[in-house]
Amino acid sequence: MSQLPRIVVLATGGTIAGASTNPASSARYQAATVPVSTLLAAVPALQSVARVEAEQVAQVDSKDMVFSLWSTLAARVQHWSAEPDVAGIVITHGTDTLEETAMFLHLTQACPVPVVLTAAMRPSTSLSADGPLNLLDAVRVAGHPDARGKGVLVVLNQQIHAARDVTKAHTSAVDAFVSPQGGPLGFVQDELVRLARTPAHAVAAVLPVPARWPDVEIIASYAQPGRIAVDAMVAAGVKGLVVAAAGNGSVHEVLIAALKDAAAAGVAVVRSSRTGAGHVAIPPVVDPDAGVFLSAADLNPYKARLLLLVALAQEPGLAAAPDRLQALFASV
Ligand code: ASP
């Protein structure tokens, strides 16, 4: 019998490592308290799937994610990816910012072996906790030959998603994660791992992990917005602004005026959509006035912010090269 794949689990916290004194409640609990050794011990089936070893990289509620932890995580992914006999890496994470960490890794990691993020909507102590199966499925995917070359993946609720596309779309349901543009890449059903399609943007890995992180923020367009926030952020030295615009990238005229001033001050301005799905038209197709600002393509505001952040960290002058910045949004 051939040897089981060696899989490294990097634990960062989240609800998957959450605990409560009330098993009947999935809402009242403390995230990020259970050590990874306990999470692994709760899933004896792992032993027949992989040779698993684990590292507790952090123990945080992912709502409190910080850049320094992303840098640490990237370094640990690179370290373990370079070990000759490691077949794949699993990262346990909180669901709140999982899509951001996944996008960060998508943008910065070459992924010579599969990198699979997983999480849970219910704490480990709850009735019908979803973490154990998600963890087992993530290890199955990380060790599967078909997952190679697919970039960073996200496995929850028996579905396999591309890191770039996946988003959390429900406050509490176990099927909270969706890929609004093209759906999941595949599924896991017990030992059957089926990757039905290749991600449209399989492996980005075009940008280095920032040594310094510029200020890049998100604002939203809605009825009668003020321009106070934009003006204050520009005065504070913000380098990039992503607008969670209405519909197909529409921005309220009050914000357009403020954002034009921001752009004139050297701030990179990118329009994403607050709708949750679809592409924002490349300017100036929709609104010639709003067209002065770039399009995030189909990236949601949080993922667009990640790309702008990492791109401006690599090249601060990119705000003055809108054609190149727009090309990056179209290609990553
Ligand atoms: N607040 C938790 C976290 O993101 C939620 C979860 O994991 O479901 O860490």
Side-chain angles (χ1 to χ4, degrees):
M1 203 180 98
S2 63
Q3 213 179 23
L4 293 174
R6 182 183 175 205
I7 303 295
V8 177
V9 176
L10 302 178
T12 70
T15 292
I16 193 168
S20 163
T21 49
N22 179 2
S25 170
S26 288
R28 289 183 301 278
Y29 63 94
Q30 181 71 43
T33 55
V34 180
V36 65
S37 53
T38 306
L39 299 183
L40 295 175
V43 192
L46 283 168
Q47 288 167 21
S48 59
V49 170
R51 291 175 291 140
V52 177
E53 55 200 272
E55 186 179 311
Q56 190 80 51
V57 175
Q59 190 64 291
V60 296
D61 185 323
S62 81
K63 75 179 177 60
D64 297 323
M65 184 52 62
V66 290
F67 297 150
S68 57
L69 179 47
W70 279 348
S71 299
T72 302
L73 194 54
R76 297 320 291 155
V77 167
Q78 277 157 21
H79 167 82
W80 287 111
S81 300
E83 288 282 300
D85 61 339
V86 168
I89 296 168
V90 169
I91 299 170
T92 60
H93 200 285
T95 60
D96 286 344
T97 57
L98 182 144
E99 67 192 86
E100 295 174 56
T101 299
M103 181 70 179
F104 164 69
L105 294 172
H106 168 76
L107 291 172
T108 59
Q109 299 306 303
C111 296
V113 299
V115 175
V116 181
L117 286 93
T118 193
M121 293 298 290
R122 296 174 179 157
S124 66
T125 48
S126 83
L127 295 171
S128 295
D130 51 334
L133 181 59
N134 287 347
L135 182 57
L136 180 61
D137 285 348
V139 170
R140 282 180 166 133
V141 172
H144 199 281
D146 290 355
R148 287 187 169 248
K150 303 288 194 302
V152 181
L153 300 172
V154 173
V155 170
L156 283 112
N157 195 39
Q158 296 184 281
Q159 294 185 326
I160 309 168
H161 295 269
R164 179 191 180 280
D165 300 334
V166 75
T167 188
K168 183 178 179 180
H170 197 283
T171 56
S172 57
V174 291
D175 61 349
F177 283 77
V178 298
S179 293
Q181 308 298 350
L185 300 177
F187 63 87
V188 189
Q189 192 177 331
D190 296 336
E191 57 283 339
L192 178 65
V193 171
R194 179 62 51 84
L195 275 144
R197 62 183 185 86
T198 299
H201 304 259
V203 182
V206 288
L207 296 162
V209 174
R212 298 186 60 206
W213 301 76
D215 285 328
V216 177
E217 303 291 343
I218 299 171
I219 55 153
S221 183
Y222 40 75
Q224 196 158 344
R227 54 175 292 163
I228 301 170
V230 173
D231 291 344
M233 285 192 272
V234 173
V238 75
K239 299 293 183 256
L241 282 173
V242 173
V243 191
N248 195 354
S250 316
V251 179
H252 192 287
E253 59 187 359
V254 168
L255 279 185
I256 287 179
L259 291 169
K260 276 184 174 167
D261 291 346
V267 177
V269 179
V270 175
R271 289 171 304 130
S272 177
S273 177
R274 67 182 211 187
T275 61
H279 281 69
V280 168
I282 304 291
V285 174
V286 182
D287 176 349
D289 210 12
V292 296
F293 313 125
L294 302 181
S295 158
D298 61 343
L299 295 177
N300 74 25
Y302 314 102
K303 289 170 189 270
R305 175 188 180 240
L306 248 303
L307 177 52
L308 195 54
L309 194 57
V310 178
L312 290 176
Q314 185 201 29
E315 191 179 339
L318 212 48
D323 290 351
R324 286 178 49 225
L325 197 49
Q326 186 63 76
L328 195 58
F329 272 90
S331 65
V332 164

